[in-house]
Amino acid sequence: MVASSTLFHNDVVITTRLITMYSMCDSPLDSRLVFDGLEKKNLFQWNAMVSGYSRNKLYEEALRAFIELVLQTDFKPDNFTFPCVIKACGGILDVRLGQGVHGMTAKLGLLGDVFVCNALIAFYGKCGLVDEAVKVFDFMSEKNLVSWNSMICVFAENGFAQEGLRLFSEMIKCEKSFVPDVASLVTILPVCAGEGNLEMGMVFHGLAVKLGLNQELMVKNALLDMYSKCGCLSHAKGLFDKDNNKNVVSWNTMIGGFATQGDARGTFYLLRKMQVEGREKTNEVTILNVLPVCLERSELLCLKELHAYSIRHGFHYDQLVANAFIAAYAKCGSLCSSQLMFNGMETKTVSSWNALIGGYAQNGAPRKALEFYLQMINSGINPDRFSLGSLLLACSHMKSLRFGKEIHGYLIRIGLETDPFIVISLLSLYIRCGKSASARVLFEEMENKSLVSWNALIAGYSQIGLPDEALVLFRQMLSDGIQPDEISINSVFRACSQLSALRLGKEAHCYALKAYLAEDIFVGCSIIDMYAKSGCIEQARRVFEKSRNKDVALWNAIIVGYGLHGYGKEALGLFEKMLAFGMKPDGFTFVGILMACCHSGLVEEGLKYFNDMQNFHGITPKLEHYACIVDMLGRAGRLDESLRLVNEMPDEPDAGIWSSLLSSCKTFNALDIGTKVAEKLFELEPNKAENYVLLSNLFAASGKWDDVRRVRQKMKEIGLQKDAGRSWIELGGKVHSFMAGNTSFTGSKQMQNMWRRLEEKIRKIGYKPNTNSALHELAEDEKIEVLRGHSEKQAICVGLLRTSKGETLRINKNLRICVDCHNAAKLISKVVEREIVIRDNKRFHHFRNGCCSCGDYW
């Protein structure tokens, strides 16, 4: 109607509003048709056109229109033009162009305009130039609420959380005392979410209620996000359930919260509920929020359902969604589905290749990851930092140091060797390949050590059996002012468990409580594990009982703890209690149960639970379950049954199972079965000293000294050396180690006298050296001298000398405790009236008043 009317066609107000109307209706092409049809154009219409393009994110068109305005007309851009142009510069992240426009505003005297300055603040923030944004903000003679919100947003989006919170406080306290609006709260709440600062988030929630903004949809969604990311999912769920005014963002936020917590059941329940209610339709973001919860093979069926749903609604055409499905299938163990998804993509970007390569690298197929990397290169796509990071991960899993070094050299040539993500991957590579010194050099050369880099090295040290170095590095991290997170604390607890460094473990526990990390499920499991492996099963139980959120992982941790200590009946009682609470046991639960039965001699109970696991709980036994049963039957002397199970089990037995069976053969002098088992063991691990030692001990126990010499000669020929017995004890925060054979007790007369006094006392109540434990071809008195030099006896002496009367001694040993040391420790506990806890490489022994918790069954 307007186009056909001569009267309206050239009306400035109507045509300007038409241009604006079309752009607001997502039709900038129609805006342009109206604009191009004008005989005469004024600045308002030019501004409307530039604004329309900018509003529709057509930033290059907006800039072209601006250039036309400047070059082809006599109009001077004003304070309505420049905000849109500056926004367009931020949209394409063109810093130089934006700075040029900034210069134009200065020349035209527009830097005093609040709208122009607000746009400049947002532009510099988007480009990561926080200092420039601060300069503009500080230069402003007049600021409005948008100015403050924009500057807070700049801090928030660029990782300056504390500065953002400080500025929010200043805004409220400043002379004009601005009242926060919806934008203010929607900007500041994600800062609290990102920092995990629940306390501050709740303060802002209270402020929203006070200002009457808590019912605003955007604020409600920001609150849902904050509570979810701060670990208060129940609080977020409460707000969500009470809200009758939800949009797709509300649903996506809540679904994402459950997915982040790893709650697959809750995530898919919400997704189905969203579909049933039908008010809001799912979108690509919904699918992307659900996919991270698909991490296990058990979620594969749900993943396939989600994939089918995505295909029906056309979401799979979205690149991000397709790439996420590739990664999810890999994580759920279906690498073939991951590859099929990839093959079905019409356009494969570097991100698509990265999803596939990363999936194979992270899920047990590193060589396949390498093959696809080479295919990507051959297809003409250049790798990015993520491709190379996945490639380094593949090298780590293959322990291919040579190829890893080649990639390191390539990274140096292309200037990526200092990229934080790449450095972390390189640290992992060198650690896994046993080059901890190279990893440390790389770490020390980093200019800005992030928390992730500290965590990578600390965790690496723990994983490769260097707990001392892990704890030293953790202390250095604290002294450098770096605040640990869940990963750091978990690594420290792991190191403390390996060393039984109880004192430092307790310090780390206190820190976790102060930093509100102890309620994290994984941290909680690590704390329980640390106390259990440090010999404090009672303290582990107290931590468990105080935990508010007891999920399956927490129950598993405490059950395994009791199993390690040989408290089988207590472990079984916990399992029944777990079932009564409605918890569903998993494969790890039954590993703990079977281990508990194994260490407690509860053979019939163990066999019953093994059957129940399959028949009532629908869990298919894995190699680790069979290993427990084989060990349990072997320890009970039922060697024929144990061997029959090994031969009949569906999976190929590994070296651990054969080693366990050989150890049982040695205990019961089963020479015939033992020699056959040894043959199988040597086929799998021909170069492991421990296997030859087991066979040698079997022959020695049967008095077959010629065979003993033959086995030991074989060890010499292939360059193997028996691990010396080693024990260690933590005293005053320092770990003291002792080696077997050090009969002088490091030259200390005090220690020699201590053992003489102890031996004299325990001989009076029945101690007689068990020389069968000295598996050497020696005279009886020489064997007794060898037994006196066993490392756990040295540790006991040092512990008694350096601790207070009545204090529990906690000792670790790298090998299985021998019968003689076991007998001696029982009697020593009686004569010194102390508890002595010894953790050998199989289990814990609690010696009290002349008895051991194992009931002499180990």
Side-chain angles (χ1 to χ4, degrees):
M1 184 182 80
V2 173
S4 61
S5 169
T6 308
L7 178 64
F8 295 136
H9 183 68
N10 289 311
D11 186 285
V12 173
V13 176
I14 291 178
T15 52
T16 303
R17 289 183 176 175
L18 267 177
I19 293 168
T20 303
M21 181 270 291
Y22 279 124
S23 68
M24 291 183 76
C25 294
D26 301 329
S27 187
L29 185 60
D30 289 315
S31 293
R32 187 73 200 202
L33 288 171
V34 172
F35 181 77
D36 288 342
L38 296 172
E39 292 178 11
K40 289 183 179 181
K41 303 177 182 75
N42 64 13
L43 185 58
F44 296 112
Q45 292 154 337
W46 278 101
N47 284 349
M49 199 65 243
V50 173
S51 173
Y53 280 135
S54 191
R55 178 182 286 112
N56 285 278
K57 297 183 180 178
L58 299 170
Y59 300 122
E60 291 183 355
E61 285 83 346
L63 292 169
R64 273 195 286 270
F66 173 69
I67 291 167
E68 285 179 46
L69 167 65
V70 173
L71 297 179
Q72 297 176 14
T73 75
D74 294 328
F75 299 123
K76 284 185 179 180
D78 61 8
N79 58 337
F80 292 100
T81 320
F82 279 110
C84 303
V85 175
I86 294 165
K87 180 183 177 182
C89 294
I92 62 172
L93 299 175
D94 192 327
V95 175
R96 288 185 66 184
L97 184 59
Q99 288 174 330
V101 174
H102 187 175
M104 287 181 69
T105 61
K107 286 180 183 177
L108 292 170
L110 293 174
L111 283 183
D113 184 85
V114 70
F115 298 105
V116 172
C117 289
N118 290 346
L120 283 168
I121 291 169
F123 159 73
Y124 282 120
K126 201 167 254 187
C127 293
L129 301 172
V130 178
D131 288 341
E132 296 300 318
V134 171
K135 285 177 187 175
V136 174
F137 181 78
D138 290 343
F139 178 79
M140 293 174 71
S141 56
E142 182 185 346
K143 302 179 181 79
N144 61 11
L145 184 57
V146 177
S147 314
W148 288 91
N149 287 347
S150 298
M151 195 62 235
I152 293 167
C153 185
V154 168
F155 282 135
E157 290 180 351
N158 286 278
F160 294 92
Q162 295 307 315
E163 288 80 355
L165 291 168
R166 177 186 54 76
L167 196 64
F168 190 96
S169 177
E170 279 183 30
M171 177 182 78
I172 297 171
K173 296 174 183 176
C174 72
E175 191 178 336
K176 290 193 177 180
S177 188
F178 288 103
V179 177
D181 63 359
V182 170
S184 312
L185 291 168
V186 169
T187 301
I188 203 67
L189 282 168
V191 174
C192 302
E195 290 289 290
N197 192 337
L198 177 63
E199 188 177 352
M200 188 60 71
M202 294 180 80
V203 169
F204 289 120
H205 187 176
L207 180 62
V209 172
K210 186 177 179 181
L211 296 173
L213 298 174
N214 60 309
Q215 292 305 312
E216 292 287 338
L217 188 55
M218 289 177 69
V219 174
K220 285 190 288 187
N221 289 342
L223 286 168
L224 290 178
D225 181 64
M226 183 273 295
Y227 281 117
S228 297
K229 287 179 178 172
C230 288
C232 281
L233 201 57
S234 57
H235 206 136
K237 187 72 164 53
L239 291 175
F240 180 79
D241 290 339
K242 290 175 186 175
D243 185 15
N244 294 319
N245 180 29
K246 304 180 185 85
N247 64 2
V248 68
V249 177
S250 315
W251 284 97
N252 288 349
T253 303
M254 205 65 239
I255 287 169
F258 273 90
T260 303
Q261 292 290 318
D263 186 346
R265 187 182 297 177
T267 302
F268 281 101
Y269 169 77
L270 270 177
L271 178 63
R272 292 186 182 105
K273 188 177 179 184
M274 180 182 183
Q275 293 170 261
V276 169
E277 291 194 8
R279 292 181 216 165
E280 297 296 335
K281 291 184 178 179
T282 55
N283 58 18
E284 289 84 353
V285 176
T286 316
I287 305 301
L288 289 169
N289 281 2
V290 173
L291 283 171
V293 85
C294 300
L295 296 170
E296 303 287 344
R297 193 177 289 276
S298 56
E299 268 92 54
L300 184 58
L301 182 60
C302 290
L303 176 60
K304 288 183 175 180
E305 288 177 13
L306 188 64
H307 189 185
Y309 178 84
S310 298
I311 292 171
R312 288 198 301 274
H313 292 81
F315 297 143
H316 66 299
Y317 292 115
D318 182 274
Q319 275 279 339
L320 289 175
V321 172
N323 294 343
F325 269 111
I326 293 169
Y329 272 121
K331 287 172 184 173
C332 290
S334 183
L335 292 170
C336 57
S337 298
S338 186
Q339 190 173 338
L340 284 172
M341 182 78 194
F342 176 80
N343 292 340
M345 295 176 70
E346 289 184 19
T347 305
K348 298 177 178 71
T349 63
V350 69
S351 298
S352 312
W353 283 99
N354 287 348
L356 186 68
I357 294 166
Y360 276 102
Q362 294 164 19
N363 294 282
R367 294 190 184 280
K368 203 76 175 170
L370 180 56
E371 286 176 25
F372 280 111
Y373 174 81
L374 295 174
Q375 282 185 34
M376 180 182 78
I377 299 298
N378 292 333
S379 70
I381 293 180
N382 292 322
D384 62 9
R385 57 201 285 267
F386 298 107
S387 322
L388 294 164
S390 294
L391 195 59
L392 286 169
L393 178 62
C395 293
S396 298
H397 287 310
M398 293 188 294
K399 295 191 175 176
S400 177
L401 184 61
R402 183 183 63 81
F403 192 45
K405 282 184 172 180
E406 288 179 15
I407 299 165
H408 192 177
Y410 173 71
L411 290 164
I412 292 171
R413 289 195 299 275
I414 63 173
L416 268 179
E417 81 280 6
T418 58
D419 179 273
F421 175 76
I422 292 294
V423 172
I424 303 304
S425 301
L426 285 168
L427 284 175
S428 299
L429 167 74
Y430 287 117
I431 281 282
R432 288 197 178 200
C433 291
K435 298 294 181 183
S436 57
S438 299
R440 188 58 180 263
V441 169
L442 196 66
F443 176 78
E444 295 299 344
E445 287 176 350
M446 293 176 69
E447 289 184 16
N448 299 311
K449 297 178 179 70
S450 66
L451 177 59
V452 178
S453 61
W454 285 95
N455 286 348
L457 197 55
I458 292 170
Y461 279 142
S462 294
Q463 288 162 11
I464 63 171
L466 296 172
D468 290 304
E469 286 83 348
L471 296 179
V472 168
L473 195 63
F474 179 71
R475 290 191 183 101
Q476 185 184 328
M477 182 177 86
L478 291 178
S479 67
D480 285 0
I482 306 294
Q483 296 301 310
D485 64 0
E486 294 91 339
I487 298 171
S488 326
I489 291 292
N490 276 332
S491 298
V492 169
F493 284 131
R494 178 172 181 164
C496 292
S497 299
Q498 290 169 325
L499 284 173
S500 286
L502 183 60
R503 181 172 173 179
L504 184 58
K506 285 181 175 179
E507 288 176 16
H509 186 188
C510 291
Y511 181 90
L513 289 168
K514 288 176 185 175
Y516 302 103
L517 297 174
E519 281 303 314
D520 178 89
I521 291 296
F522 298 109
V523 173
C525 291
S526 295
I527 293 170
I528 291 170
D529 183 66
M530 181 273 297
Y531 279 119
K533 288 180 179 174
S534 297
C536 296
I537 191 64
E538 298 86 358
Q539 182 63 30
R541 182 63 179 266
R542 282 194 286 272
V543 172
F544 172 78
E545 295 297 348
K546 286 179 181 178
S547 298
R548 285 178 289 182
N549 301 315
K550 295 183 178 74
D551 74 345
V552 175
L554 219 63
W555 284 94
N556 290 350
I558 193 66
I559 288 171
V560 168
Y562 273 100
L564 277 173
H565 285 261
Y567 295 136
K569 291 182 179 178
E570 288 83 350
L572 299 184
L574 277 166
F575 177 71
E576 296 302 332
K577 192 175 179 182
M578 172 186 175
L579 294 179
F581 275 104
M583 304 300 294
K584 187 178 179 181
D586 58 18
F588 294 109
T589 315
F590 282 98
V591 169
I593 289 296
L594 297 177
M595 184 193 300
C597 293
C598 175
H599 288 314
S600 306
L602 303 174
V603 181
E604 297 307 322
E605 290 89 340
L607 293 172
K608 172 189 173 296
Y609 280 110
F610 184 65
N611 290 325
D612 287 352
M613 177 180 80
Q614 301 167 74
N615 300 329
F616 294 113
H617 299 284
I619 297 171
T620 304
K622 293 184 179 178
L623 205 60
E624 52 265 32
H625 300 106
Y626 283 108
C628 288
I629 297 296
V630 169
D631 192 27
M632 181 178 71
L633 291 171
R635 285 169 185 264
R638 294 161 67 168
L639 299 175
D640 290 330
E641 290 177 68
S642 185
L643 185 59
R644 188 164 56 249
L645 179 62
V646 171
N647 292 326
E648 292 175 359
M649 57 191 273
D651 296 321
E652 198 66 31
D654 65 2
I657 288 178
W658 289 116
S659 176
S660 166
L661 189 51
L662 182 57
S663 181
S664 297
C665 290
K666 181 256 174 187
T667 302
F668 293 97
N669 288 333
L671 196 59
D672 291 341
I673 296 176
T675 50
K676 292 174 185 175
V677 169
E679 288 174 10
K680 295 286 188 182
L681 182 56
F682 291 137
E683 286 176 15
L684 294 172
E685 290 183 340
N687 296 312
K688 190 172 181 181
E690 183 185 333
N691 300 335
Y692 291 91
V693 172
L694 276 173
L695 181 60
S696 172
N697 290 347
L698 172 64
F699 286 136
S702 303
K704 303 285 186 181
W705 296 110
D706 288 339
D707 291 319
V708 170
R709 283 188 286 272
R710 179 176 53 81
V711 173
R712 290 176 180 172
Q713 181 60 36
K714 178 71 173 175
M715 288 179 69
K716 285 182 182 178
E717 288 172 5
I718 57 179
L720 298 178
Q721 193 171 359
K722 175 187 174 183
D723 288 338
R726 186 171 73 90
S727 296
W728 60 97
I729 183 172
E730 183 192 20
L731 298 167
K734 185 179 177 183
V735 176
H736 300 263
S737 292
F738 306 90
M739 299 290 286
N742 184 8
T743 52
S744 66
F745 294 112
T746 66
S748 167
K749 281 284 182 187
Q750 266 189 315
M751 293 179 199
Q752 291 179 40
N753 292 335
M754 170 59 76
W755 177 251
R756 285 198 194 96
R757 289 197 301 273
L758 286 174
E759 191 173 359
E760 186 180 332
K761 287 180 181 179
I762 61 178
R763 277 182 182 273
K764 289 178 181 178
I765 59 171
Y767 172 69
K768 183 180 179 182
N770 187 319
T771 54
N772 290 331
S773 299
L775 299 173
H776 299 276
E777 198 174 1
L778 299 169
E780 283 296 297
D781 58 338
E782 290 176 311
K783 287 184 178 183
I784 291 171
E785 201 58 39
V786 168
L787 294 175
R788 283 174 179 152
H790 280 192
S791 60
E792 52 267 65
K793 291 191 178 93
Q794 298 177 46
I796 289 172
C797 288
V798 173
L800 291 172
L801 283 167
R802 300 192 185 178
T803 56
S804 305
K805 188 176 180 181
E807 190 176 334
T808 300
L809 300 185
R810 303 182 193 279
I811 296 162
N812 283 265
K813 182 175 172 62
N814 65 331
L815 303 175
R816 190 177 183 184
I817 189 172
C818 73
V819 174
D820 181 71
C821 289
H822 193 270
N823 292 341
K826 284 195 296 183
L827 297 172
I828 291 169
S829 71
K830 185 172 184 177
V831 297
V832 299
E833 297 181 347
R834 293 222 213 172
E835 181 181 3
I836 301 171
V837 180
I838 298 180
R839 174 191 175 188
D840 66 13
N841 67 345
K842 297 292 182 184
R843 57 165 296 157
F844 276 89
H845 300 265
H846 293 256
F847 300 99
R848 295 189 192 96
N849 197 31
C851 299
C852 180
S853 60
C854 74
D856 296 338
Y857 184 87
W858 86 102

